[in-house]
Amino acid sequence: MSTDVVARILIREAGPADDGAIGELLVEAFITQYAKKLPEVVYSEQRKAFLRDVASRRKECTILVADLDGEVVGTVALYPPGSPGSESWLPRTADLRALATSVRFHGQGLAQPLLAETEVLARRWGVDAITLHVRRGATGVARMYERRGYQRVPSGDIDRPEVYLEAFMLPLK
């Protein structure tokens, strides 16, 4: 069953017409996921507005979507080295952010082709690695990245008043 959906999706770069669908997908996926796994996490209206502001982020990074028969069912953003919005702590690294899949398809493997395409894009950019951050306590998310070869790098952790983010890196060279 999961391979059926994955076999039918097209991974492509997002355009302006996708912004609304991507924003709503991010809000729905993050709120639903955290409600199940980390119920203490509450998304503020400010955070939801940031997630919905896809147009601004598209100016800073490449946003990819998983397209299933014309519907956006997954998304991920990859920031080039040094771009605004990047949270990478290392030079010559791309920063992966905002990976989400439609709640209807959670657990069906849609994240894997999105991640594979970010790796292709990062290699095309010639970067040394891809970095990312995972909210502390989101162990399932961290395990998914580790299965792809991402390594935990505590020196890149971000400790904010509202969230502690654990750093991971996928070496490409």
Side-chain angles (χ1 to χ4, degrees), residues 81-147:
S83 67
S86 172
E87 292 183 336
S88 185
W89 64 98
L90 297 168
R92 297 191 40 78
T93 58
D95 191 41
L96 188 146
R97 300 194 55 196
L99 171 68
T101 58
S102 171
V103 172
R104 291 193 340 263
F105 299 106
H106 276 183
Q108 295 191 38
L110 279 181
Q112 297 310 312
L114 284 162
L115 290 171
E117 194 59 31
T118 63
E119 292 161 21
V120 168
L121 182 57
R123 283 187 171 93
R124 199 176 315 136
W125 290 349
V127 299
D128 296 338
I130 299 174
T131 59
L132 60 85
H133 290 89
V134 174
R135 178 185 287 270
R136 177 175 279 166
T139 53
V141 174
R143 271 195 310 273
M144 175 190 67
Y145 288 119
E146 289 170 335
R147 283 193 299 270

Side-chain angles (χ1 to χ4, degrees), residues 89 132-134 151-157 165-169:
W89 64 98
L132 60 85
H133 290 89
V134 174
Q151 303 158 6
R152 180 80 174 87
V153 185
S155 63
D157 288 2
L165 299 171
E166 296 180 335
F168 291 81
M169 178 183 67

Side-chain angles (χ1 to χ4, degrees), residues 9-44:
I9 63 164
L10 165 71
I11 304 296
R12 61 174 176 78
E13 189 168 339
D18 299 309
D19 291 353
I22 293 167
E24 292 311 310
L25 183 143
L26 287 168
V27 170
E28 178 194 34
F30 286 175
I31 288 174
T32 303
Q33 196 62 17
Y34 286 125
K36 281 189 224 163
K37 309 274 177 152
L38 298 166
E40 70 280 7
V41 174
V42 176
Y43 267 74
S44 67

